[in-house]
Amino acid sequence: MLLELVDDLDDAVRFINAHSSNHTDAVITESPDVAAAFLRNVDSACVFHNASTRFSDGFRFGLGAELGVATGRLHARGPVGIQGFLTYKWLLKSDDFHTQQQFATGDKTYTHKPLFPLH
């Protein structure tokens, strides 16, 4: 885990984009404006609002068993069809802070719904 104290959201986004693995990053905030700006501006594959980064898992995203992790932008090699040129940014939002344990015990359940357009 990396923790950095910064002056404002812009500094946080700059720091994350410069120093994170670009795999999964999260913000804990009650401000809808801060959450929306964080989700929009952090350049990571998974960007979460009020949720544990432990939710970053291919199985939870409906991809089946997770076979590996890629942090590069495009990793295709050899002959490539259109699917090889696509990549995703996963966004997870919550009104409350959640941990995986709440879902493992059945206290919370998963809901999948489109987020776009993201404002």
Side-chain angles (χ1 to χ4, degrees):
M1 178 183 352
L2 177 62
L3 179 68
E4 180 75 11
L5 296 176
V6 295
D7 292 328
D8 58 28
L9 177 64
D10 291 335
D11 283 348
V13 169
R14 274 192 294 276
F15 184 86
I16 290 167
N17 287 341
H19 299 287
S20 85
S21 69
N22 300 115
H23 186 281
T24 305
D25 291 290
V27 64
I28 307 303
T29 182
E30 294 178 354
S31 167
D33 293 337
V34 168
F38 188 88
L39 292 171
R40 182 176 53 251
N41 295 318
V42 169
D43 185 21
S44 294
C46 304
V47 187
F48 298 162
H49 167 222
N50 287 354
S52 169
T53 57
R54 292 182 64 202
F55 283 108
S56 183
D57 178 79
F59 179 76
R60 286 185 177 80
F61 294 159
L63 303 175
E66 188 169 292
L67 302 177
V69 173
T71 58
R73 296 298 182 266
L74 292 176
H75 52 84
R77 184 174 176 169
V80 177
I82 189 66
Q83 291 296 324
F85 289 105
L86 300 177
T87 188
Y88 302 93
K89 180 174 181 176
W90 300 88
L91 305 177
L92 185 88
K93 297 186 347 179
S94 176
D95 293 330
D96 298 311
F97 180 71
H98 296 299
T99 63
Q100 272 190 316
Q101 184 63 27
Q102 294 168 303
F103 291 82
T105 60
D107 293 338
K108 301 283 183 179
T109 58
Y110 293 105
T111 302
H112 296 90
K113 62 183 176 180
L115 294 178
F116 297 102
L118 181 62
H119 299 289

